[in-house]
């Protein structure tokens, strides 16, 4: 493995990591409650926006990749908030000897 340098000056983006917990709703239905776990600084590696035609019009898919310092408590089931938008985590890649994590995230919206 090669060493990965996480430069503090490149961590320009602010991410909030949320974790979902299942709770019972008012009508005894199961709902997911998202609670913020921690805020972290990140480097934006890649950002892509695609528009796909659908039967009801079009759908915009936004994909983004971030580099953060290593955090042991990050899971694929978590989600992140970046720029006021919620993204599902679709990939986690540990880089170096637990020096950094590359997060691949995806948002699908109207």
């Amino acid at each position: 493995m090669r060493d990965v340098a996480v430069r503090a000056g490149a961590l320009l983006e602010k991410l909030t990591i949320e974790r979902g917990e299942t709770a019972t709703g008012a009508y005894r239905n199961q709902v997911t409650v998202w609670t913020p776990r921690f805020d972290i600084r990140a480097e934006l590696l890649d950002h892509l926006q695609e528009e796909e035609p659908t039967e009801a019009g079009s759908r915009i898919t936004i994909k983004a990749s971030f580099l953060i310092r290593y955090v042991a408590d990050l899971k694929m089931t978590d989600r992140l908030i970046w720029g006021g938008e919620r993204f599902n985590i679709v990939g986690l890649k540990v880089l170096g000897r637990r020096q950094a994590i590359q997060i691949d995230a995806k948002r699908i919206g109207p």
Side-chain angles (χ1 to χ4, degrees):
M1 289 187 154
R2 65 179 181 86
D3 286 339
V4 178
V6 181
R7 299 179 337 231
L11 303 176
L12 302 175
E13 306 297 327
K14 181 183 174 189
L15 305 179
T16 300
I17 306 297
E18 293 183 327
R19 181 152 300 156
E21 297 176 6
T22 304
T24 303
Y27 298 102
R28 299 214 177 264
N29 55 336
Q30 297 295 317
V31 294
T32 302
V33 178
W34 294 92
T35 55
R37 298 288 292 177
F38 53 88
D39 293 328
I40 194 163
R41 303 298 291 188
E43 176 183 351
L44 179 63
L45 299 176
D46 191 25
H47 181 250
L48 177 67
Q49 181 172 331
E50 298 173 337
E51 186 173 354
E52 301 173 6
T54 63
E55 294 176 7
S58 64
R59 177 174 65 184
I60 297 174
T61 303
I62 300 173
K63 297 177 185 176
S65 293
F66 301 95
L67 183 68
I68 64 169
R69 289 194 169 107
Y70 181 79
V71 176
D73 194 28
L74 190 60
K75 298 180 180 181
M76 286 284 295
T77 55
D78 295 341
R79 71 178 184 189
L80 63 90
I81 299 174
W82 173 55
E85 301 288 337
R86 287 176 169 76
F87 288 77
N88 293 326
I89 295 176
V90 295
L92 293 174
K93 182 178 180 182
V94 177
L95 304 173
R97 293 184 179 200
R98 294 186 178 178
Q99 293 172 316
I101 298 177
Q102 178 179 331
I103 301 174
D104 297 321
K106 183 177 179 181
R107 177 190 171 269
I108 299 174

